[in-house]
Amino acid sequence: MPKDSGIGASSKRREDVRFLTGAGNYTDDINVHGQAYVHFLRSDIAHGRINSIDTSSAEAMPGVVKVFTGKDFEGVGGMPCGWEVTDKHGAPMQEPPHPILAQGKVRHVGDPIAAVVADSLEQARDAAEAIELDIEELPAVIDMKAAAQEGATLVHDDLKNNICYDWQLGETDDAKVNEVFANAAHVTTLDLVNNRLVANPMEPRVAVGEYSRGTEEYTLYTTSQNPHVIRLLMCAFVLGLPEHKVRVVAPDVGGGFGTKIFHYAEEAFCTFAAKACNRPVKWTSSRSEAFMSDAHGRDHVGQIELALDADNNFIGLRTNTYANMGAYLSTFSSSVPTWLHGTLMAGNYKTPVIQVNVKAMFTNTVPVDAYRGAGRPEATFQLERVVDKAARELGVDPIALRRQNFITQFPYDTPVALTYDTGDYNGTMDKLESAADLAGFAARRAESEAKGKLRGLGVNCYIEACGIAPSNIVGMLGARAGLYDAATVRVNATGSISVMVGAHSHGQGHETAFPQVVADMIGIDESMIEIVHGDTSKIPFGMGTYGSRSLAVCGSAMVKATEKVIDKAKKIAAHLLEASEADIELKDGQFSVAGTDKSVAWGDVTLTAYVPHNFPLEVEPGLEETAFYDPANFTFPAGAYACEVEVDPETGRVTIEAFTAADDFGNIVNPMIVDGQVHGGIGQGIGQALLENCAYDENGQLLSASFMDYAMPRADDVPFYAVDHSSQTPCTHNPLGVKGCGEAGAIGSPPAVVNAVLDALNSGGKAIDHIDMPVSPSRVWTAMHG
């Protein structure tokens, strides 16, 4: 029977009531008395030298409070990168400055040049148009391979070239790798593109800066996935502010998908300008600004080679990838194509020799950083596409080829630096074959052919690494921050509980799932527990939410803090029951003496903690505990996905007829929330596979800068999904046994879709090896008709 409360129950999301009734409190809902508004004047060219900026006319216009340019930030730190990557020669990456407002040059369309603060947004916009600019346009470098060439236009004049780093992981002996491929019975090679994406959360970015001259305190309200990290970066690296005088608040956030992890120039500007203008300053991004100022995602170009022996065992894998950094290094951009991508190239397979090569390039485009999955979708797409192509070339069943090469013994040390603690890849594939009714596919294909359509089946497997850890290891790999998390469990006198967490909720359902864990441990109703997050003045220092880390990392901290609370409460209960602490049991909200009918309720114990009239003297009053948790390892969710498509040979249109996901997320706290996370991820993956593409022309103009030109998936582009997560191998190193689930759908779905399309086309007699994403009707039609 399904549980009706606690861990394992599909408790309805309590936060949805306020969201669906319009009672949410988003950053744009926050208006501070006396606030001014800021409008950023952004570059309309991709690369240029700033000869002069004349702001005199703008400053004289009605309502203008102050006009800022790059000169106002001379001596102020620029936007920092949070991860230093060391290249394969042992040299640190090239790390150019990233100013808050452009200084000397503009380097991409959308680069902020000046900022006007005025009494109204309309006045700020009008004044920005009056700023006179003299910018000498320079050649722009957009193509990554062209940027790598000797003599290419430099994005940053003070760098020796446009290569941020040339990085390698896995086998370092090129001769050994070459020998593996030379002696292979079969080698499959595939060139592919992982298309650039714009995250486009429903809520655009917003920042409201406030400064109190009386207390010398700053408050920044912002759309962030990790308010403590924003405060740390802004204080330590950008503005040099005293951290105890800065409060960062991230209220309800309407979608993040990675793009709201990073510290952006607009946040630092509003904080700085609030003091400089002696009044609060507010900025709300327009959708057009979001396209050219939010960090973009993906954008890899590469080649992958798979070597197999005569029995079709994988014996070697080699990749060469160009990864776009854009014009500047965003907060975690350097880690995405390296430690979040290269480490996943083993996938689900026991390939003994793997070599990963990555060149990260600066170009005159918007900076690129983490987007849902962050490196793992790029790795999975490369690997699962080349495996599918190998199966086609060898004339073998793609599922059988995968099964033959699955890792089956755990723990397993991969050749690319990870140790998978647990998994059952055959188990998830078994679930997939059953749930997707793969045995009935031939009949469904025949039905499609009778209608003049081509039907294809695409299958893929994935594994991802969630909850980046541990801090000491990632520190050695270049991370400039710890990756632990924290929770404070504060029990009130009447027994209700406030749990302050370092994780931030922006769609994940923390306000529902976290109470389920605490309620299950104590045996009280979930409604007695509230979750507090998003305000650095209220919560312990935590690292925020990204990389599917919330439950595995912050949830584990919450468990540890709750255990401390229970241990102390047992001391009080033992005193009240005149029993030994070792004999006290807690179940269903009652403390009892083992083997007797003597008991005392949770609420009586908590009241005693705060009204200590009858209290053990050696125990301090109160009932509040804090715990920090630094994971010993990543968690490794894995799964198998199947997609069925119909292709119209006359138009090239692809319709997804069915999509099935079988995932192993370890123990499940709330199955309904997990279903929702998988559904959302698959939708985004389908968007990348079929529709979305962020495109630049040769001059660096963004061609897809609005929803008129950037195709987001709609309801009729996606099917009703079949989702199964009953194959569970619990994580062995966190107390909940959970694995991340938030990004799996976006990781596993793109190759399944592309594999399905190619299967459909090849069933129609076409020998087509690959079509780059998005697999649009025009690309499909062109591939079919030459």
Side-chain angles (χ1 to χ4, degrees), residues 47 139-143 146-148 152-155 162 362-365 698:
H47 195 199
V141 57
I142 308 302
D143 180 83
T153 298
L154 291 178
V155 178
N162 291 317
F362 292 112
T363 63
N364 293 115
T365 63
E698 66 276 8

Side-chain angles (χ1 to χ4, degrees), residues 367-700:
V368 178
D369 209 316
Y371 171 70
R372 197 169 191 171
R376 289 97 81 197
E378 295 90 317
T380 300
F381 187 72
Q382 283 183 303
L383 182 57
E384 289 300 309
R385 280 293 302 114
V386 79
V387 171
D388 224 58
K389 185 184 178 191
R392 194 174 303 281
E393 290 175 346
L394 293 166
V396 300
D397 178 73
I399 293 178
L401 182 62
R402 288 174 168 88
R403 284 187 183 272
Q404 175 180 338
N405 287 281
F406 277 160
I407 298 163
T408 55
Q409 300 295 319
F410 296 90
Y412 178 82
D413 294 326
T414 76
V416 279
L418 295 181
T419 299
Y420 301 164
D421 62 327
T422 185
D424 181 6
Y425 309 146
N426 278 302
T428 52
M429 185 61 80
D430 290 342
K431 295 286 185 181
L432 179 76
E433 291 201 51
S434 173
D437 183 24
L438 298 192
F441 173 72
R444 295 191 294 276
R445 170 172 274 175
E447 291 176 5
S448 294
E449 289 174 351
K451 298 185 296 182
K453 303 292 179 66
L454 302 175
R455 196 176 190 99
L457 170 66
V459 174
N460 87 285
C461 301
Y462 79 90
I463 184 169
E464 64 160 322
C466 302
I468 308 171
S471 292
N472 64 324
I473 298 298
V474 297
M476 289 188 288
L477 300 179
R480 290 166 170 163
L483 290 167
Y484 53 86
D485 224 297
T488 296
V489 176
R490 178 181 298 159
V491 183
N492 301 307
T494 56
S496 64
I497 300 175
S498 296
V499 183
M500 284 68 75
V501 295
H504 184 278
S505 182
H506 41 278
Q508 293 84 355
H510 295 174
E511 294 174 40
T512 301
F514 283 6
Q516 289 180 250
V517 173
V518 177
D520 200 79
M521 293 177 70
I522 297 171
I524 59 177
D525 193 89
E526 297 161 15
S527 64
M528 295 177 64
I529 302 163
E530 70 160 347
I531 302 299
V532 180
H533 66 95
D535 186 337
T536 60
S537 69
K538 297 179 179 179
I539 62 176
F541 192 103
M543 299 306 295
T545 294
Y546 44 86
S548 300
R549 70 190 303 272
S550 296
L551 192 59
V553 184
C554 188
S556 294
M558 185 175 64
V559 168
K560 291 179 65 177
T562 304
E563 288 173 342
K564 291 181 180 180
V565 163
I566 293 172
D567 287 344
K568 183 175 179 180
K570 283 184 175 181
K571 289 182 171 65
I572 301 170
H575 182 79
L576 294 175
L577 294 168
E578 298 179 333
S580 168
E581 182 186 339
D583 293 331
I584 299 298
E585 298 175 343
L586 173 61
K587 184 178 180 181
D588 297 331
Q590 293 282 328
F591 294 92
S592 60
V593 181
T596 76
D597 59 358
K598 295 174 64 177
S599 67
V600 62
W602 167 258
D604 293 330
V605 172
T606 62
L607 183 62
T608 303
Y610 288 94
V611 187
H613 296 162
N614 183 13
F615 202 80
L617 295 178
E618 71 276 9
V619 178
E620 295 178 354
L623 199 52
E624 177 177 323
E625 298 290 345
T626 296
F628 288 78
Y629 177 76
D630 199 345
N633 194 0
F634 294 85
T635 71
F636 297 101
Y641 286 7
C643 177
E644 288 188 33
V645 301
E646 273 192 348
V647 177
D648 184 340
E650 294 186 0
T651 65
R653 176 177 170 80
V654 176
T655 303
I656 297 182
E657 296 296 318
F659 199 104
T660 306
D663 299 287
D664 174 6
F665 296 131
N667 293 333
I668 303 293
V669 170
N670 187 310
M672 181 181 68
I673 288 178
V674 171
D675 286 352
Q677 288 287 301
V678 175
H679 288 184
I682 294 173
Q684 286 185 269
I686 289 172
Q688 176 176 13
L690 296 183
L691 298 160
E692 299 180 50
N693 192 38
C694 182
Y696 284 88
D697 70 11
E698 66 276 8
N699 298 313

Side-chain angles (χ1 to χ4, degrees), residues 13 15-26 252-253 507 511:
R13 286 171 36 120
E15 51 267 73
D16 287 354
V17 174
R18 71 174 187 273
F19 295 151
L20 294 173
T21 59
N25 182 39
Y26 297 89
D252 290 329
V253 171
E511 294 174 40

